[in-house]
Amino acid sequence: MSQSVKLGSYLRITNQLAQRFGLGNVSFLEFIKFLLVGLLNTLVGMGLMLILKNGLEWPFWYATFTGNTVGAIVSYLMNRTFTFNSKVPIQVGIPRFTAVVLTCYIFSYSISRLISGSMESFTIGQFYIDSDNFAILLGAIIYTLANYIGQKSFVFNNYAQSSS
């Protein structure tokens, strides 16, 4: 089976699932753009979190909140124009974006903190990872998935805007 046939089957299944969850069509290019913006957002936000937590010894919640706030600004600007090419007015999009980001932040990092709280520090190869840093990494994964769903279905959904 050729790669294009496999990819077509995957995208067809993905679009069917997305429609069931109210996400509309999920295009491969849009998802790649979201991942690229997410990479930039991660470099900025998580980089700042780790610098604040490890370099400046800020408490976990202050470091993650500050890193996520700065990353969220980058995310909003890039996803609105580059990923979703949204026409949702800024006065509608920013409150929705803020609600989604805060909900995803509390949800993701609370769960990751809960999971990592029962763990001891560990090493992978030469890297020492304490429970706070593990919580940051796990929280970022959960946050990314939840944030995509929220932004796609609620923030930058032009159809949701017309029903407001």
PDB file of all heavy atoms in Angstrom, residues 111-133:
ATOM      1  N   ILE A 111      -3.126  17.798  36.858  1.00  0.00           N
ATOM      2  CA  ILE A 111      -3.000  16.353  36.638  1.00  0.00           C
ATOM      3  C   ILE A 111      -1.533  15.928  36.665  1.00  0.00           C
ATOM      4  O   ILE A 111      -1.170  14.945  37.313  1.00  0.00           O
ATOM      5  CB  ILE A 111      -3.668  15.937  35.306  1.00  0.00           C
ATOM      6  CG1 ILE A 111      -5.180  16.024  35.442  1.00  0.00           C
ATOM      7  CG2 ILE A 111      -3.241  14.527  34.895  1.00  0.00           C
ATOM      8  CD1 ILE A 111      -5.930  15.756  34.170  1.00  0.00           C
ATOM      9  N   SER A 112      -0.680  16.675  35.969  1.00  0.00           N
ATOM     10  CA  SER A 112       0.734  16.288  35.928  1.00  0.00           C
ATOM     11  C   SER A 112       1.373  16.391  37.308  1.00  0.00           C
ATOM     12  O   SER A 112       2.205  15.556  37.676  1.00  0.00           O
ATOM     13  CB  SER A 112       1.503  17.119  34.901  1.00  0.00           C
ATOM     14  OG  SER A 112       1.661  18.450  35.338  1.00  0.00           O
ATOM     15  N   ARG A 113       0.957  17.370  38.074  1.00  0.00           N
ATOM     16  CA  ARG A 113       1.491  17.540  39.436  1.00  0.00           C
ATOM     17  C   ARG A 113       1.023  16.387  40.324  1.00  0.00           C
ATOM     18  O   ARG A 113       1.783  15.870  41.139  1.00  0.00           O
ATOM     19  CB  ARG A 113       1.038  18.887  39.986  1.00  0.00           C
ATOM     20  CG  ARG A 113       1.586  19.254  41.303  1.00  0.00           C
ATOM     21  CD  ARG A 113       3.052  19.585  41.189  1.00  0.00           C
ATOM     22  NE  ARG A 113       3.418  20.260  42.417  1.00  0.00           N
ATOM     23  CZ  ARG A 113       4.548  20.835  42.617  1.00  0.00           C
ATOM     24  NH1 ARG A 113       5.429  20.874  41.660  1.00  0.00           N
ATOM     25  NH2 ARG A 113       4.824  21.399  43.740  1.00  0.00           N
ATOM     26  N   LEU A 114      -0.237  15.986  40.153  1.00  0.00           N
ATOM     27  CA  LEU A 114      -0.789  14.869  40.907  1.00  0.00           C
ATOM     28  C   LEU A 114      -0.034  13.577  40.587  1.00  0.00           C
ATOM     29  O   LEU A 114       0.347  12.822  41.486  1.00  0.00           O
ATOM     30  CB  LEU A 114      -2.278  14.713  40.580  1.00  0.00           C
ATOM     31  CG  LEU A 114      -3.052  13.684  41.369  1.00  0.00           C
ATOM     32  CD1 LEU A 114      -3.191  14.140  42.832  1.00  0.00           C
ATOM     33  CD2 LEU A 114      -4.435  13.493  40.774  1.00  0.00           C
ATOM     34  N   ILE A 115       0.192  13.325  39.307  1.00  0.00           N
ATOM     35  CA  ILE A 115       0.915  12.121  38.886  1.00  0.00           C
ATOM     36  C   ILE A 115       2.357  12.156  39.386  1.00  0.00           C
ATOM     37  O   ILE A 115       2.864  11.171  39.935  1.00  0.00           O
ATOM     38  CB  ILE A 115       0.883  11.969  37.351  1.00  0.00           C
ATOM     39  CG1 ILE A 115      -0.546  11.648  36.899  1.00  0.00           C
ATOM     40  CG2 ILE A 115       1.872  10.898  36.880  1.00  0.00           C
ATOM     41  CD1 ILE A 115      -0.754  11.721  35.399  1.00  0.00           C
ATOM     42  N   SER A 116       3.031  13.288  39.231  1.00  0.00           N
ATOM     43  CA  SER A 116       4.446  13.360  39.606  1.00  0.00           C
ATOM     44  C   SER A 116       4.641  13.407  41.118  1.00  0.00           C
ATOM     45  O   SER A 116       5.717  13.083  41.603  1.00  0.00           O
ATOM     46  CB  SER A 116       5.111  14.578  38.969  1.00  0.00           C
ATOM     47  OG  SER A 116       4.648  15.763  39.582  1.00  0.00           O
ATOM     48  N   GLY A 117       3.589  13.791  41.853  1.00  0.00           N
ATOM     49  CA  GLY A 117       3.703  13.869  43.311  1.00  0.00           C
ATOM     50  C   GLY A 117       3.959  12.528  43.965  1.00  0.00           C
ATOM     51  O   GLY A 117       4.529  12.454  45.048  1.00  0.00           O
ATOM     52  N   SER A 118       3.553  11.460  43.314  1.00  0.00           N
ATOM     53  CA  SER A 118       3.766  10.126  43.868  1.00  0.00           C
ATOM     54  C   SER A 118       5.091   9.518  43.411  1.00  0.00           C
ATOM     55  O   SER A 118       5.388   8.381  43.750  1.00  0.00           O
ATOM     56  CB  SER A 118       2.600   9.216  43.454  1.00  0.00           C
ATOM     57  OG  SER A 118       2.574   9.074  42.050  1.00  0.00           O
ATOM     58  N   MET A 119       5.872  10.285  42.660  1.00  0.00           N
ATOM     59  CA  MET A 119       7.118   9.762  42.111  1.00  0.00           C
ATOM     60  C   MET A 119       8.326  10.343  42.843  1.00  0.00           C
ATOM     61  O   MET A 119       8.275  11.453  43.357  1.00  0.00           O
ATOM     62  CB  MET A 119       7.241  10.147  40.630  1.00  0.00           C
ATOM     63  CG  MET A 119       6.152   9.605  39.765  1.00  0.00           C
ATOM     64  SD  MET A 119       6.282  10.233  38.088  1.00  0.00           S
ATOM     65  CE  MET A 119       7.893   9.652  37.631  1.00  0.00           C
ATOM     66  N   GLU A 120       9.375   9.585  42.824  1.00  0.00           N
ATOM     67  CA  GLU A 120      10.666  10.079  43.287  1.00  0.00           C
ATOM     68  C   GLU A 120      11.390  10.639  42.066  1.00  0.00           C
ATOM     69  O   GLU A 120      10.984  10.421  40.926  1.00  0.00           O
ATOM     70  CB  GLU A 120      11.481   8.933  43.890  1.00  0.00           C
ATOM     71  CG  GLU A 120      10.864   8.321  45.129  1.00  0.00           C
ATOM     72  CD  GLU A 120      10.867   9.281  46.305  1.00  0.00           C
ATOM     73  OE1 GLU A 120      11.856  10.031  46.480  1.00  0.00           O
ATOM     74  OE2 GLU A 120       9.863   9.283  47.048  1.00  0.00           O
ATOM     75  N   SER A 121      12.465  11.329  42.289  1.00  0.00           N
ATOM     76  CA  SER A 121      13.279  11.779  41.166  1.00  0.00           C
ATOM     77  C   SER A 121      13.910  10.549  40.501  1.00  0.00           C
ATOM     78  O   SER A 121      14.003   9.487  41.102  1.00  0.00           O
ATOM     79  CB  SER A 121      14.364  12.740  41.642  1.00  0.00           C
ATOM     80  OG  SER A 121      15.185  12.101  42.589  1.00  0.00           O
ATOM     81  N   PHE A 122      14.296  10.699  39.238  1.00  0.00           N
ATOM     82  CA  PHE A 122      14.891   9.582  38.529  1.00  0.00           C
ATOM     83  C   PHE A 122      15.884  10.105  37.511  1.00  0.00           C
ATOM     84  O   PHE A 122      15.945  11.298  37.251  1.00  0.00           O
ATOM     85  CB  PHE A 122      13.822   8.698  37.866  1.00  0.00           C
ATOM     86  CG  PHE A 122      12.937   9.435  36.890  1.00  0.00           C
ATOM     87  CD1 PHE A 122      13.231   9.461  35.541  1.00  0.00           C
ATOM     88  CD2 PHE A 122      11.796  10.099  37.341  1.00  0.00           C
ATOM     89  CE1 PHE A 122      12.408  10.129  34.647  1.00  0.00           C
ATOM     90  CE2 PHE A 122      10.957  10.765  36.449  1.00  0.00           C
ATOM     91  CZ  PHE A 122      11.274  10.790  35.103  1.00  0.00           C
ATOM     92  N   THR A 123      16.661   9.193  36.973  1.00  0.00           N
ATOM     93  CA  THR A 123      17.629   9.565  35.950  1.00  0.00           C
ATOM     94  C   THR A 123      17.354   8.769  34.684  1.00  0.00           C
ATOM     95  O   THR A 123      16.932   7.615  34.740  1.00  0.00           O
ATOM     96  CB  THR A 123      19.081   9.308  36.407  1.00  0.00           C
ATOM     97  OG1 THR A 123      19.219   7.929  36.727  1.00  0.00           O
ATOM     98  CG2 THR A 123      19.449  10.165  37.599  1.00  0.00           C
ATOM     99  N   ILE A 124      17.566   9.436  33.566  1.00  0.00           N
ATOM    100  CA  ILE A 124      17.518   8.789  32.261  1.00  0.00           C
ATOM    101  C   ILE A 124      18.880   9.047  31.646  1.00  0.00           C
ATOM    102  O   ILE A 124      19.189  10.184  31.291  1.00  0.00           O
ATOM    103  CB  ILE A 124      16.394   9.360  31.374  1.00  0.00           C
ATOM    104  CG1 ILE A 124      15.037   9.110  32.006  1.00  0.00           C
ATOM    105  CG2 ILE A 124      16.469   8.771  29.977  1.00  0.00           C
ATOM    106  CD1 ILE A 124      13.873   9.725  31.266  1.00  0.00           C
ATOM    107  N   GLY A 125      19.668   7.993  31.560  1.00  0.00           N
ATOM    108  CA  GLY A 125      21.036   8.177  31.082  1.00  0.00           C
ATOM    109  C   GLY A 125      21.780   9.057  32.067  1.00  0.00           C
ATOM    110  O   GLY A 125      21.867   8.751  33.250  1.00  0.00           O
ATOM    111  N   GLN A 126      22.251  10.191  31.591  1.00  0.00           N
ATOM    112  CA  GLN A 126      22.984  11.123  32.444  1.00  0.00           C
ATOM    113  C   GLN A 126      22.101  12.247  32.977  1.00  0.00           C
ATOM    114  O   GLN A 126      22.572  13.117  33.695  1.00  0.00           O
ATOM    115  CB  GLN A 126      24.146  11.733  31.664  1.00  0.00           C
ATOM    116  CG  GLN A 126      25.177  10.723  31.240  1.00  0.00           C
ATOM    117  CD  GLN A 126      26.293  11.356  30.415  1.00  0.00           C
ATOM    118  OE1 GLN A 126      26.160  12.467  29.932  1.00  0.00           O
ATOM    119  NE2 GLN A 126      27.380  10.629  30.252  1.00  0.00           N
ATOM    120  N   PHE A 127      20.819  12.227  32.617  1.00  0.00           N
ATOM    121  CA  PHE A 127      19.923  13.321  32.994  1.00  0.00           C
ATOM    122  C   PHE A 127      19.157  13.008  34.268  1.00  0.00           C
ATOM    123  O   PHE A 127      18.465  11.996  34.360  1.00  0.00           O
ATOM    124  CB  PHE A 127      18.937  13.622  31.863  1.00  0.00           C
ATOM    125  CG  PHE A 127      19.601  14.062  30.592  1.00  0.00           C
ATOM    126  CD1 PHE A 127      19.758  13.179  29.538  1.00  0.00           C
ATOM    127  CD2 PHE A 127      20.088  15.353  30.469  1.00  0.00           C
ATOM    128  CE1 PHE A 127      20.377  13.578  28.370  1.00  0.00           C
ATOM    129  CE2 PHE A 127      20.716  15.769  29.305  1.00  0.00           C
ATOM    130  CZ  PHE A 127      20.862  14.875  28.259  1.00  0.00           C
ATOM    131  N   TYR A 128      19.280  13.886  35.232  1.00  0.00           N
ATOM    132  CA  TYR A 128      18.539  13.792  36.492  1.00  0.00           C
ATOM    133  C   TYR A 128      17.240  14.587  36.326  1.00  0.00           C
ATOM    134  O   TYR A 128      17.255  15.744  35.901  1.00  0.00           O
ATOM    135  CB  TYR A 128      19.379  14.389  37.621  1.00  0.00           C
ATOM    136  CG  TYR A 128      18.610  14.553  38.905  1.00  0.00           C
ATOM    137  CD1 TYR A 128      18.400  13.464  39.742  1.00  0.00           C
ATOM    138  CD2 TYR A 128      18.091  15.787  39.284  1.00  0.00           C
ATOM    139  CE1 TYR A 128      17.703  13.611  40.923  1.00  0.00           C
ATOM    140  CE2 TYR A 128      17.386  15.939  40.459  1.00  0.00           C
ATOM    141  CZ  TYR A 128      17.191  14.840  41.275  1.00  0.00           C
ATOM    142  OH  TYR A 128      16.488  14.987  42.440  1.00  0.00           O
ATOM    143  N   ILE A 129      16.124  13.953  36.632  1.00  0.00           N
ATOM    144  CA  ILE A 129      14.827  14.617  36.496  1.00  0.00           C
ATOM    145  C   ILE A 129      14.107  14.535  37.831  1.00  0.00           C
ATOM    146  O   ILE A 129      13.781  13.432  38.304  1.00  0.00           O
ATOM    147  CB  ILE A 129      13.980  13.965  35.376  1.00  0.00           C
ATOM    148  CG1 ILE A 129      14.728  14.031  34.050  1.00  0.00           C
ATOM    149  CG2 ILE A 129      12.614  14.636  35.283  1.00  0.00           C
ATOM    150  CD1 ILE A 129      14.058  13.304  32.910  1.00  0.00           C
ATOM    151  N   ASP A 130      13.852  15.691  38.439  1.00  0.00           N
ATOM    152  CA  ASP A 130      13.093  15.687  39.685  1.00  0.00           C
ATOM    153  C   ASP A 130      11.599  15.725  39.364  1.00  0.00           C
ATOM    154  O   ASP A 130      11.191  15.890  38.216  1.00  0.00           O
ATOM    155  CB  ASP A 130      13.522  16.822  40.613  1.00  0.00           C
ATOM    156  CG  ASP A 130      13.181  18.214  40.111  1.00  0.00           C
ATOM    157  OD1 ASP A 130      12.429  18.340  39.125  1.00  0.00           O
ATOM    158  OD2 ASP A 130      13.667  19.184  40.709  1.00  0.00           O
ATOM    159  N   SER A 131      10.767  15.558  40.384  1.00  0.00           N
ATOM    160  CA  SER A 131       9.329  15.446  40.147  1.00  0.00           C
ATOM    161  C   SER A 131       8.730  16.731  39.580  1.00  0.00           C
ATOM    162  O   SER A 131       7.793  16.675  38.780  1.00  0.00           O
ATOM    163  CB  SER A 131       8.605  15.022  41.421  1.00  0.00           C
ATOM    164  OG  SER A 131       8.773  15.976  42.441  1.00  0.00           O
ATOM    165  N   ASP A 132       9.246  17.900  39.950  1.00  0.00           N
ATOM    166  CA  ASP A 132       8.732  19.156  39.392  1.00  0.00           C
ATOM    167  C   ASP A 132       9.005  19.254  37.888  1.00  0.00           C
ATOM    168  O   ASP A 132       8.139  19.655  37.115  1.00  0.00           O
ATOM    169  CB  ASP A 132       9.351  20.378  40.082  1.00  0.00           C
ATOM    170  CG  ASP A 132       8.663  20.726  41.387  1.00  0.00           C
ATOM    171  OD1 ASP A 132       7.607  20.127  41.689  1.00  0.00           O
ATOM    172  OD2 ASP A 132       9.182  21.596  42.103  1.00  0.00           O
ATOM    173  N   ASN A 133      10.213  18.904  37.474  1.00  0.00           N
ATOM    174  CA  ASN A 133      10.542  18.965  36.045  1.00  0.00           C
ATOM    175  C   ASN A 133       9.767  17.915  35.245  1.00  0.00           C
ATOM    176  O   ASN A 133       9.353  18.178  34.119  1.00  0.00           O
ATOM    177  CB  ASN A 133      12.043  18.833  35.818  1.00  0.00           C
ATOM    178  CG  ASN A 133      12.783  20.086  36.236  1.00  0.00           C
ATOM    179  OD1 ASN A 133      12.299  21.192  36.044  1.00  0.00           O
ATOM    180  ND2 ASN A 133      13.950  19.923  36.834  1.00  0.00           N
TER     181      ASN A 133
END
